[in-house]
Amino acid sequence: MASLLERRETAVLEAHRRSVHASPQEASAYLQDMLTQRLTAFICNVKDGKTVARWAQGSVSEIRPQSEQRLRAAYEIATLLLQFDSPQTVRAWFMGLNPQLDDISPATALHDGRFAEALAAARAFVAGG
């Protein structure tokens, strides 16, 4: 039987693998369902949720690299957290003030391009609950 530490390490690697293999369409559909279009648009630094909806429908052939980087980071974090908590808890985690991020929300950290810090905060949350 795997220890909790081994389970967490496996979950981190699996979330990363999923974020690399997911299409932007898949990642945006997943996030808009979990976090809402508006929050996903904020994270990805785009003007409105309609852009996210177009990504999710596959009606946009290219996404700006900076937006895709934010999208993939958010997707990686969401898939990691969902292995340990409910969708409601994950949504609250993205929106809530986080002491590991100098009391800004993970959504704001991702919006601001602080990917490594947001991922570290997610890993710490998984480790400590």
Side-chain angles (χ1 to χ4, degrees):
M1 181 187 242
S3 72
L4 185 56
L5 179 61
E6 291 170 330
R7 183 172 169 240
R8 277 187 250 151
E9 289 174 1
T10 300
V12 166
L13 293 174
E14 175 62 19
H16 177 70
R17 187 192 65 74
R18 287 184 67 187
S19 73
V20 170
H21 289 284
S23 68
Q25 181 179 358
E26 178 185 348
S28 56
Y30 184 90
L31 290 173
Q32 80 172 351
D33 288 345
M34 169 167 294
L35 302 177
T36 74
Q37 284 180 357
R38 176 181 269 165
L39 184 57
T40 303
F42 173 73
I43 288 169
C44 294
N45 199 18
V46 295
K47 285 195 183 269
D48 62 41
K50 292 178 185 177
T51 301
V52 174
R54 286 192 295 275
W55 294 345
Q57 294 165 357
S59 59
V60 175
S61 60
E62 279 193 42
I63 299 173
R64 287 186 347 231
Q66 299 88 347
S67 295
E68 185 174 350
Q69 190 176 19
R70 287 172 172 83
L71 179 73
R72 288 187 183 282
Y75 180 74
E76 181 173 347
I77 289 169
T79 58
L80 171 62
L81 294 177
L82 267 176
Q83 293 181 61
F84 297 93
D85 276 297
S86 70
Q88 296 82 4
T89 300
V90 173
R91 189 176 311 111
W93 183 88
F94 271 91
M95 293 186 298
L97 300 181
N98 190 302
Q100 289 196 303
L101 297 169
D102 300 323
D103 293 323
I104 65 166
S105 71
T108 299
L110 290 167
H111 172 88
D112 293 346
R114 296 170 58 187
F115 310 120
E117 293 172 69
L119 185 56
R123 289 175 180 167
F125 185 75
V126 166

